[in-house]
Amino acid sequence: MSVEIGLFADTGDDSAGAPEAVTAGPAEALQLVFGSAEEFLHEQLLPTYVRDVDDRSAKWCMEWYFHPEAVSRVEALWRAWEHLRLDGATGISIWWRDHADHHMRILLDPQGPFYNCDRTAHRDPEHLEPKLAPDGWFPDVRVQ
């Protein structure tokens, strides 16, 4: 029996122990469901992770791709989803608990990466401009 929950699929067969796609031979490459983090955001994440974004308790920027932290977090969510969707036993739960809930709480936080934006306008975030440490404090460990 196969059950689909969103784009996660539960084969219902836990007897094998490992997801079928993980045990595929080296010649068989795993196929991604989504071709990019943006496609994942539009097709899976935002349609299933629905919240009231009122700019007081939650914020989002319609031009989220101008925020490097947001891009990195959406990319992380997508890659984790693509990996965990293959686990028919607990993959969905792990993805929600450890990935979606964690990253979306930070992304939607009014003090998060979209703090300077509102629902209708993107405003470039202010970037920290730290000074470089004195020479020798952080030697390049790649050099021998």
Side-chain angles (χ1 to χ4, degrees):
M1 180 176 120
S2 178
V3 178
E4 288 206 17
I5 303 171
L7 290 177
F8 288 97
D10 180 3
T11 63
D13 180 18
D14 295 334
S15 62
E20 181 179 322
V22 173
T23 60
E28 298 178 40
L30 297 178
Q31 295 296 310
L32 297 174
V33 172
F34 300 103
S36 70
E38 181 182 35
E39 182 183 1
F40 169 76
L41 178 84
H42 288 279
E43 300 295 324
Q44 176 68 27
L45 183 59
L46 294 183
T48 57
Y49 199 96
V50 179
R51 297 293 186 274
D52 184 21
V53 178
D54 61 8
D55 289 337
R56 289 184 316 272
S57 61
K59 292 185 83 88
W60 184 261
C61 180
M62 299 307 274
E63 295 179 295
W64 63 276
Y65 40 81
F66 286 129
H67 299 267
E69 178 184 353
V71 170
S72 182
R73 287 182 183 279
V74 171
E75 179 90 12
L77 285 167
W78 168 51
R79 291 180 181 276
W81 185 91
E82 290 284 1
H83 175 75
L84 289 168
R85 73 182 172 84
L86 301 173
D87 178 350
T90 60
I92 298 169
S93 180
I94 291 168
W95 182 80
W96 279 107
R97 184 195 68 204
D98 294 350
H99 301 280
D101 289 340
H102 171 76
H103 289 294
M104 292 303 288
R105 190 175 304 114
I106 293 168
L107 284 171
L108 294 173
D109 188 293
Q111 300 302 313
F114 308 130
Y115 74 92
N116 210 23
C117 300
D118 60 40
R119 289 179 291 174
T120 61
H122 165 76
R123 292 180 191 88
D124 287 332
E126 295 176 24
H127 294 281
L128 296 175
E129 297 292 336
K131 292 181 178 181
L132 291 175
D135 284 342
W137 280 35
F138 297 97
D140 189 338
V141 296
R142 298 171 294 182
V143 180
Q144 294 183 7

